[in-house]
Coordinates of all heavy atoms in Angstrom, one line a residue:
M56 N 116.8 86.4 164.0 CA 117.9 87.6 164.1 C 119.2 87.0 164.4 O 119.4 86.0 165.3 CB 117.5 88.5 165.3 CG 118.4 89.6 165.6 SD 117.8 90.6 166.8 CE 119.1 91.8 166.9
S57 N 120.2 87.4 163.6 CA 121.6 86.8 163.8 C 122.2 87.4 165.0 O 121.9 88.4 165.5 CB 122.4 87.1 162.5 OG 122.6 88.5 162.3
Q58 N 123.1 86.6 165.5 CA 123.8 87.0 166.8 C 125.1 87.6 166.4 O 125.8 87.3 165.3 CB 124.0 85.7 167.5 CG 122.8 85.0 168.0 CD 123.1 83.7 168.8 OE1 123.7 83.9 169.8 NE2 122.6 82.6 168.4
P59 N 125.7 88.4 167.3 CA 127.0 89.0 167.0 C 128.1 87.9 166.8 O 128.1 87.0 167.7 CB 127.2 90.0 168.2 CG 126.2 89.5 169.2 CD 125.1 88.8 168.5
V60 N 129.0 88.2 166.1 CA 130.1 87.3 165.8 C 131.5 88.0 166.1 O 131.7 89.0 165.5 CB 130.2 86.7 164.4 CG1 131.2 85.7 164.1 CG2 128.7 86.0 164.1
T61 N 132.4 87.3 166.8 CA 133.7 87.9 167.1 C 134.6 86.7 166.8 O 134.4 85.6 167.2 CB 133.8 88.3 168.5 OG1 132.9 89.3 168.8 CG2 135.3 88.9 168.7
M62 N 135.7 87.0 165.9 CA 136.6 86.1 165.7 C 137.9 86.4 166.3 O 138.5 87.5 166.2 CB 136.9 85.9 164.2 CG 137.9 84.9 163.7 SD 138.1 84.9 161.9 CE 139.2 83.5 161.8
Y63 N 138.4 85.4 167.2 CA 139.7 85.6 167.9 C 140.8 84.9 167.0 O 140.6 83.9 166.7 CB 139.7 85.0 169.3 CG 138.5 85.7 170.1 CD1 137.4 85.0 170.3 CD2 138.8 86.9 170.6 CE1 136.4 85.6 171.1 CE2 137.8 87.5 171.4 CZ 136.6 86.9 171.6 OH 135.6 87.6 172.3
T64 N 141.8 85.7 166.7 CA 142.7 85.3 165.6 C 144.1 85.8 166.0 O 144.3 86.5 167.0 CB 142.3 86.0 164.3 OG1 143.0 85.5 163.2 CG2 142.1 87.5 164.3
T65 N 145.0 85.5 165.1 CA 146.4 86.1 165.1 C 146.8 86.3 163.6 O 146.2 85.8 162.7 CB 147.5 85.1 165.6 OG1 147.5 84.0 164.8 CG2 147.2 84.8 167.1
E66 N 147.8 87.3 163.5 CA 148.1 87.7 162.2 C 148.8 86.5 161.5 O 148.7 86.4 160.2 CB 149.0 88.8 162.2 CG 149.4 89.4 160.8 CD 150.3 90.7 160.9 OE1 149.8 91.5 161.8 OE2 151.3 90.7 160.3
W67 N 149.5 85.6 162.1 CA 150.3 84.6 161.6 C 149.6 83.3 161.3 O 150.1 82.3 160.6 CB 151.5 84.3 162.4 CG 151.1 84.0 163.9 CD1 151.3 85.0 164.9 CD2 150.6 82.8 164.5 NE1 150.8 84.4 166.0 CE2 150.4 83.0 165.8 CE3 150.4 81.5 164.0 CZ2 149.9 82.0 166.7 CZ3 150.0 80.5 164.8 CH2 149.7 80.9 166.2
C68 N 148.3 83.2 161.7 CA 147.5 81.9 161.6 C 146.9 81.8 160.2 O 146.0 82.5 159.8 CB 146.5 81.9 162.7 SG 145.4 80.6 162.6
G69 N 147.4 80.7 159.5 CA 146.8 80.5 158.2 C 145.4 79.9 158.3 O 144.6 80.2 157.4
Y70 N 145.1 79.1 159.3 CA 143.7 78.7 159.5 C 142.7 79.9 159.6 O 141.6 79.8 159.1 CB 143.6 77.8 160.7 CG 144.3 76.4 160.5 CD1 145.4 76.2 161.1 CD2 143.9 75.5 159.5 CE1 146.1 75.0 161.0 CE2 144.5 74.3 159.4 CZ 145.7 74.1 160.2 OH 146.4 72.9 159.9
C71 N 143.2 80.9 160.4 CA 142.5 82.1 160.7 C 142.2 82.9 159.3 O 141.1 83.4 159.0 CB 143.1 83.1 161.6 SG 143.4 82.3 163.3
R72 N 143.3 83.0 158.5 CA 143.1 83.7 157.2 C 142.1 83.0 156.4 O 141.2 83.6 155.7 CB 144.4 83.8 156.5 CG 145.4 84.8 157.2 CD 146.6 85.1 156.3 NE 147.4 83.9 156.1 CZ 148.4 83.6 156.9 NH1 148.6 84.3 157.9 NH2 149.1 82.6 156.6
R73 N 142.1 81.7 156.3 CA 141.2 81.0 155.5 C 139.8 81.1 156.0 O 138.9 81.3 155.2 CB 141.6 79.5 155.5 CG 140.6 78.6 154.6 CD 141.0 77.2 154.7 NE 140.6 76.7 156.0 CZ 141.1 75.6 156.5 NH1 141.7 74.8 155.8 NH2 140.7 75.2 157.7
L74 N 139.6 80.9 157.3 CA 138.2 81.1 157.9 C 137.6 82.5 157.6 O 136.5 82.7 157.4 CB 138.2 80.7 159.4 CG 136.8 80.6 160.0 CD1 135.9 79.7 159.2 CD2 137.0 80.3 161.5
K75 N 138.5 83.5 157.8 CA 138.0 84.9 157.6 C 137.6 85.1 156.2 O 136.5 85.6 155.9 CB 139.3 85.9 157.8 CG 139.5 86.2 159.2 CD 140.4 87.4 159.5 CE 141.8 86.9 159.4 NZ 142.8 87.9 159.7
R76 N 138.3 84.5 155.2 CA 138.0 84.6 153.8 C 136.6 83.8 153.6 O 135.7 84.4 152.9 CB 139.1 84.0 152.9 CG 138.7 84.2 151.4 CD 139.9 83.6 150.6 NE 140.2 82.3 150.8 CZ 141.3 81.8 151.4 NH1 142.3 82.6 151.8 NH2 141.5 80.4 151.6
Q77 N 136.4 82.8 154.2 CA 135.3 81.9 154.0 C 134.0 82.6 154.6 O 133.0 82.7 154.1 CB 135.3 80.5 154.6 CG 136.3 79.7 153.9 CD 136.6 78.4 154.7 OE1 136.4 78.3 155.9 NE2 136.9 77.3 153.9
M78 N 134.2 83.2 155.8 CA 133.2 84.0 156.5 C 132.7 85.2 155.5 O 131.5 85.5 155.4 CB 133.5 84.5 157.8 CG 133.6 83.3 158.7 SD 134.4 83.7 160.4 CE 133.3 84.9 161.1
L79 N 133.7 85.9 155.1 CA 133.5 87.1 154.2 C 132.6 86.6 152.9 O 131.7 87.2 152.5 CB 134.7 87.8 153.7 CG 135.4 88.6 154.9 CD1 136.8 89.0 154.5 CD2 134.5 89.8 155.3
D80 N 133.1 85.4 152.4 CA 132.4 84.9 151.1 C 130.9 84.6 151.5 O 130.1 84.7 150.6 CB 133.1 83.7 150.6 CG 134.5 84.0 149.9 OD1 134.8 85.2 149.6 OD2 135.2 83.1 149.7
E81 N 130.7 84.1 152.6 CA 129.4 83.7 153.1 C 128.6 85.0 153.5 O 127.3 84.9 153.9 CB 129.4 82.8 154.3 CG 130.0 81.4 153.9 CD 129.0 80.6 153.2 OE1 127.7 80.7 153.5 OE2 129.3 79.6 152.5
G82 N 129.2 86.1 153.7 CA 128.4 87.2 154.0 C 128.2 87.4 155.5 O 127.3 88.2 156.1
I83 N 129.0 86.6 156.3 CA 129.0 86.7 157.7 C 129.8 87.8 158.2 O 131.0 87.8 158.1 CB 129.5 85.4 158.4 CG1 128.7 84.2 157.9 CG2 129.4 85.5 160.0 CD1 129.2 82.9 158.3
Q84 N 129.1 88.8 158.9 CA 129.9 90.0 159.5 C 130.5 89.7 160.9 O 129.8 89.0 161.6 CB 128.8 91.2 159.5 CG 128.4 91.7 158.2 CD 127.6 92.8 158.5 OE1 127.3 93.3 159.5 NE2 127.1 93.3 157.2
F85 N 131.7 90.0 161.2 CA 132.3 89.7 162.3 C 133.2 90.8 162.7 O 133.8 91.7 162.0 CB 133.1 88.3 162.2 CG 134.1 88.3 161.2 CD1 135.5 88.6 161.5 CD2 133.7 88.0 159.8 CE1 136.4 88.6 160.5 CE2 134.7 88.1 158.8 CZ 136.1 88.2 159.2
R86 N 133.5 90.8 164.0 CA 134.5 91.8 164.6 C 135.8 90.8 164.8 O 135.6 89.7 165.2 CB 134.0 92.3 165.9 CG 135.1 93.0 166.7 CD 134.5 93.8 167.9 NE 134.3 92.7 168.9 CZ 135.0 92.7 170.1 NH1 135.9 93.6 170.3 NH2 134.8 91.7 171.0
E87 N 136.9 91.4 164.5 CA 138.2 90.6 164.6 C 139.0 91.1 165.8 O 139.2 92.3 166.0 CB 138.9 90.7 163.4 CG 140.3 89.8 163.3 CD 141.0 89.9 162.0 OE1 140.5 90.4 161.0 OE2 142.1 89.4 162.0
V88 N 139.4 90.1 166.7 CA 140.3 90.5 167.7 C 141.6 89.6 167.7 O 141.6 88.4 167.6 CB 139.6 90.1 169.1 CG1 140.6 90.4 170.3 CG2 138.4 91.0 169.2
D89 N 142.7 90.4 167.5 CA 144.0 89.7 167.4 C 144.5 89.4 168.9 O 144.8 90.4 169.6 CB 145.0 90.6 166.7 CG 146.4 90.0 166.5 OD1 146.8 89.1 167.3 OD2 147.0 90.3 165.5
V90 N 144.5 88.2 169.3 CA 144.9 87.8 170.7 C 146.4 88.1 171.1 O 146.7 88.0 172.1 CB 144.4 86.4 171.0 CG1 142.9 86.4 171.0 CG2 145.1 85.4 170.1
D91 N 147.2 88.2 170.0 CA 148.6 88.6 170.2 C 148.7 90.0 170.7 O 149.6 90.4 171.4 CB 149.4 88.4 169.0 CG 149.9 86.9 168.7 OD1 149.7 86.1 169.7 OD2 150.3 86.6 167.6
E92 N 147.8 90.8 170.4 CA 147.7 92.2 170.6 C 146.8 92.5 171.9 O 147.1 93.5 172.7 CB 147.4 93.1 169.5 CG 148.3 93.1 168.4 CD 147.9 93.9 167.1 OE1 146.9 94.6 167.3 OE2 148.6 93.8 166.1
Q93 N 145.7 91.8 172.0 CA 144.7 92.0 173.0 C 144.6 90.7 173.8 O 143.9 89.7 173.6 CB 143.4 92.3 172.4 CG 143.4 93.6 171.6 CD 142.0 94.0 171.1 OE1 141.0 93.5 171.5 NE2 142.0 94.8 170.1
H94 N 145.4 90.7 175.0 CA 145.5 89.5 175.9 C 144.2 89.4 176.8 O 144.2 88.4 177.6 CB 146.8 89.6 176.6 CG 147.9 89.5 175.8 ND1 148.5 88.3 175.3 CD2 148.8 90.5 175.3 CE1 149.4 88.6 174.5 NE2 149.7 89.9 174.5
D95 N 143.3 90.3 176.7 CA 142.2 90.3 177.7 C 141.3 89.1 177.5 O 140.6 88.7 178.4 CB 141.3 91.6 177.4 CG 141.9 92.8 177.5 OD1 143.2 92.9 177.9 OD2 141.4 93.9 177.2
F96 N 141.4 88.4 176.4 CA 140.5 87.3 176.0 C 141.2 86.0 176.3 O 140.5 85.0 176.1 CB 140.1 87.5 174.5 CG 139.3 88.8 174.3 CD1 140.1 89.8 173.7 CD2 138.0 88.9 174.5 CE1 139.4 91.0 173.5 CE2 137.4 90.1 174.4 CZ 138.0 91.1 173.9
D97 N 142.5 85.9 176.6 CA 143.2 84.7 176.7 C 142.5 83.7 177.6 O 142.4 82.5 177.4 CB 144.7 85.0 177.1 CG 145.5 85.5 176.0 OD1 145.0 85.5 174.8 OD2 146.7 85.9 176.2
A98 N 142.2 84.2 178.9 CA 141.7 83.3 179.9 C 140.4 82.6 179.4 O 140.2 81.4 179.7 CB 141.5 84.1 181.2
R99 N 139.6 83.3 178.9 CA 138.2 82.8 178.4 C 138.5 81.7 177.3 O 137.9 80.6 177.3 CB 137.3 83.9 177.9 CG 136.0 83.3 177.5 CD 134.9 84.4 177.6 NE 133.7 83.8 177.4 CZ 133.0 84.1 176.3 NH1 133.4 84.9 175.4 NH2 131.8 83.5 176.1
I100 N 139.4 82.0 176.3 CA 139.7 81.1 175.3 C 140.4 79.8 175.8 O 140.0 78.7 175.5 CB 140.5 81.7 174.2 CG1 139.8 82.7 173.5 CG2 141.1 80.7 173.2 CD1 140.5 83.6 172.5
M101 N 141.4 80.0 176.7 CA 142.0 78.9 177.3 C 141.1 78.0 178.2 O 141.2 76.8 178.2 CB 143.2 79.4 178.2 CG 144.3 80.0 177.3 SD 145.7 80.8 178.3 CE 146.5 79.4 178.9
A102 N 140.1 78.6 178.8 CA 139.1 77.8 179.5 C 138.2 77.0 178.6 O 138.0 75.8 178.9 CB 138.2 78.8 180.4
A103 N 138.0 77.5 177.5 CA 137.1 76.8 176.5 C 137.9 75.7 175.7 O 137.3 74.8 175.2 CB 136.6 77.7 175.6
T104 N 139.3 75.8 175.8 CA 140.0 74.8 175.0 C 140.9 73.9 175.8 O 141.8 73.2 175.3 CB 140.9 75.6 174.1 OG1 142.0 76.4 174.8 CG2 140.2 76.4 173.0
G105 N 140.7 73.8 177.1 CA 141.4 72.9 178.0 C 142.9 73.5 178.3 O 143.8 72.8 178.5
G106 N 143.0 74.8 178.2 CA 144.4 75.3 178.6 C 145.3 75.9 177.4 O 146.3 76.3 177.6
F107 N 144.6 76.0 176.2 CA 145.4 76.4 175.0 C 144.7 77.6 174.5 O 143.6 77.8 174.6 CB 145.3 75.3 174.0 CG 145.9 74.0 174.4 CD1 145.1 73.0 174.9 CD2 147.2 73.8 174.3 CE1 145.6 71.8 175.2 CE2 147.8 72.6 174.7 CZ 147.0 71.6 175.2
R108 N 145.6 78.5 173.9 CA 145.2 79.6 173.3 C 144.9 79.4 171.9 O 145.7 79.9 170.9 CB 146.2 80.8 173.4 CG 145.6 82.2 173.3 CD 146.6 83.2 173.6 NE 147.7 83.1 172.6 CZ 148.3 84.1 172.1 NH1 147.9 85.3 172.4 NH2 149.3 83.9 171.2
T109 N 144.0 78.7 171.5 CA 143.7 78.1 170.2 C 143.0 79.2 169.3 O 142.1 79.7 169.7 CB 142.8 76.9 170.3 OG1 143.5 75.9 171.0 CG2 142.6 76.3 168.8
V110 N 143.6 79.4 168.1 CA 142.9 80.2 167.1 C 142.8 79.5 165.8 O 143.6 78.6 165.5 CB 143.6 81.5 166.9 CG1 143.6 82.4 168.1 CG2 145.1 81.3 166.5
P111 N 141.8 79.7 165.0 CA 140.7 80.6 165.3 C 139.7 80.1 166.3 O 139.4 78.9 166.3 CB 140.0 80.8 163.9 CG 140.2 79.5 163.2 CD 141.6 79.0 163.7
T112 N 139.3 81.0 167.3 CA 138.1 80.7 168.1 C 137.2 81.8 167.7 O 137.4 83.0 167.6 CB 138.5 80.8 169.6 OG1 139.4 79.7 169.9 CG2 137.3 80.7 170.5
V113 N 135.9 81.3 167.6 CA 134.8 82.3 167.1 C 133.7 82.3 168.2 O 133.3 81.2 168.7 CB 134.3 81.9 165.7 CG1 133.1 82.9 165.3 CG2 135.3 81.9 164.7
E114 N 133.4 83.5 168.7 CA 132.3 83.7 169.5 C 131.0 84.1 168.8 O 131.0 85.1 168.1 CB 132.7 84.8 170.6 CG 131.6 85.0 171.7 CD 132.2 85.9 172.7 OE1 133.2 86.8 172.4 OE2 131.7 86.0 173.8
V115 N 130.0 83.3 169.1 CA 128.7 83.6 168.4 C 127.7 83.8 169.6 O 127.5 82.8 170.3 CB 128.2 82.6 167.5 CG1 126.9 82.9 166.9 CG2 129.3 82.3 166.3
G116 N 127.3 85.0 169.8 CA 126.5 85.4 171.0 C 127.3 85.1 172.2 O 128.4 85.8 172.4
E117 N 127.0 84.1 173.1 CA 127.7 83.7 174.3 C 128.5 82.4 174.1 O 129.2 82.1 175.0 CB 126.7 83.6 175.5 CG 126.0 84.8 175.8 CD 126.9 86.0 176.4 OE1 127.8 85.6 177.1 OE2 126.7 87.1 176.0
R118 N 128.4 81.9 172.9 CA 129.0 80.6 172.7 C 130.4 80.7 172.0 O 130.6 81.5 171.1 CB 128.1 79.9 171.7 CG 128.0 78.4 172.0 CD 126.9 77.9 171.2 NE 127.5 76.7 170.5 CZ 127.2 76.1 169.5 NH1 126.1 76.6 168.8 NH2 127.7 75.2 169.0
L119 N 131.4 79.9 172.5 CA 132.8 79.9 171.9 C 132.9 78.6 171.0 O 132.5 77.5 171.5 CB 133.8 79.9 172.9 CG 134.1 81.2 173.6 CD1 135.2 81.1 174.6 CD2 134.4 82.4 172.6
L120 N 133.2 78.8 169.7 CA 133.5 77.7 168.8 C 134.9 77.7 168.6 O 135.5 78.6 168.1 CB 132.7 77.9 167.5 CG 131.1 78.2 167.6 CD1 130.5 78.6 166.3 CD2 130.5 76.9 168.2
V121 N 135.5 76.6 168.9 CA 137.0 76.5 168.8 C 137.4 75.8 167.4 O 136.9 74.6 167.1 CB 137.6 75.6 169.9 CG1 139.1 75.5 169.8 CG2 137.3 76.3 171.3
N122 N 138.1 76.6 166.6 CA 138.6 76.0 165.2 C 137.3 75.4 164.4 O 137.3 74.4 164.0 CB 139.6 74.9 165.5 CG 140.4 74.8 164.2 OD1 140.4 75.6 163.3 ND2 141.1 73.7 164.0
P123 N 136.3 76.3 164.3 CA 135.1 75.9 163.7 C 135.2 75.9 162.1 O 136.1 76.6 161.6 CB 134.0 76.8 164.1 CG 134.9 78.1 164.3 CD 136.1 77.7 164.8
T124 N 134.3 75.2 161.5 CA 134.2 75.4 160.1 C 133.1 76.5 159.8 O 132.4 76.9 160.7 CB 133.5 74.0 159.5 OG1 132.2 74.0 160.0 CG2 134.3 72.9 159.7
V125 N 133.1 77.0 158.6 CA 132.2 78.2 158.2 C 130.8 77.6 158.4 O 130.0 78.4 158.8 CB 132.6 78.7 156.9 CG1 132.2 77.8 155.7 CG2 131.9 80.1 156.7
G126 N 130.5 76.4 158.2 CA 129.2 75.8 158.3 C 128.7 75.8 159.7 O 127.6 76.1 160.0
E127 N 129.6 75.5 160.7 CA 129.3 75.6 162.1 C 129.0 76.9 162.5 O 128.0 77.2 163.2 CB 130.4 75.0 162.9 CG 130.6 73.5 162.7 CD 131.9 72.9 163.3 OE1 132.8 73.7 163.4 OE2 131.9 71.8 163.7
I128 N 129.7 78.0 162.0 CA 129.4 79.3 162.3 C 128.2 79.7 161.7 O 127.4 80.4 162.4 CB 130.6 80.2 161.8 CG1 131.9 79.9 162.5 CG2 130.3 81.7 162.0 CD1 133.2 80.5 161.9
R129 N 127.9 79.6 160.4 CA 126.6 79.8 159.8 C 125.5 79.2 160.7 O 124.5 80.0 160.9 CB 126.7 79.2 158.3 CG 125.4 79.7 157.6 CD 125.4 79.2 156.2 NE 126.6 78.8 155.6 CZ 127.0 77.5 155.4 NH1 126.2 76.5 155.8 NH2 128.1 77.2 154.8
A130 N 125.5 78.0 161.1 CA 124.4 77.4 161.9 C 124.3 78.1 163.3 O 123.2 78.4 163.6 CB 124.8 75.8 162.1
A131 N 125.4 78.5 163.8 CA 125.3 79.2 165.1 C 124.8 80.5 165.0 O 123.9 80.9 165.9 CB 126.7 79.2 165.8
V132 N 125.1 81.1 163.9 CA 124.6 82.6 163.7 C 123.0 82.4 163.5 O 122.3 83.3 164.0 CB 125.2 83.2 162.5 CG1 124.5 84.5 162.1 CG2 126.7 83.6 162.9
A133 N 122.6 81.4 162.8 CA 121.2 81.2 162.4 C 120.4 80.7 163.7 O 119.2 80.7 163.7 CB 121.1 80.4 161.3
G134 N 121.2 80.2 164.7 CA 120.5 79.7 165.8 C 120.0 78.3 165.7 O 119.2 77.8 166.5
T135 N 120.6 77.6 164.7 CA 120.2 76.2 164.4 C 121.2 75.3 165.0 O 121.0 74.0 164.9 CB 120.0 75.9 163.0 OG1 121.2 76.2 162.3 CG2 118.9 76.8 162.3
N136 N 122.2 75.7 165.7 CA 123.2 74.8 166.3 C 123.5 75.3 167.6 O 123.7 76.4 167.9 CB 124.4 74.6 165.4 CG 125.4 73.6 165.9 OD1 125.2 73.1 166.9 ND2 126.4 73.6 165.2

């Protein structure tokens, strides 16, 4: 069973746009959260990145992946990583 995926992003981030396109191409369903508009997630992302609000950060289940590749996301969703 695949795990829920949330992508923390911003509108201006080119890396985010590329990763969103790759995830859609791979058929990975995700919820998108723009951290410029929803600051509720800042502390958690900053804790995972050593104090930075790095995007894209992708949450798979309970795990945060900072600036991951689509392959890393695919593996995490499948539970193989």
Side-chain angles (χ1 to χ4, degrees):
M56 180 176 178
S57 66
Q58 300 183 58
V60 178
T61 302
M62 181 177 187
Y63 300 102
T64 182
T65 62
E66 187 176 311
W67 50 263
C68 173
Y70 295 109
C71 298
R72 286 191 298 273
R73 182 185 67 197
L74 186 58
K75 282 189 277 189
R76 185 177 59 248
Q77 291 172 335
M78 289 169 61
L79 290 171
D80 289 347
E81 291 279 331
I83 299 170
Q84 295 183 359
F85 61 95
R86 176 177 75 110
E87 185 176 351
V88 174
D89 185 330
V90 295
D91 280 343
E92 294 179 8
Q93 297 183 20
H94 298 280
D95 305 355
F96 302 96
D97 286 353
R99 185 154 184 248
I100 293 170
M101 291 173 73
T104 63
F107 300 97
R108 200 177 64 138
T109 304
V110 291
T112 294
V113 178
E114 183 174 21
V115 180
E117 297 294 319
R118 226 174 121 199
L119 286 180
L120 306 170
V121 179
N122 200 15
T124 66
V125 71
E127 292 169 332
I128 296 168
R129 190 180 334 105
V132 168
T135 60
N136 183 0

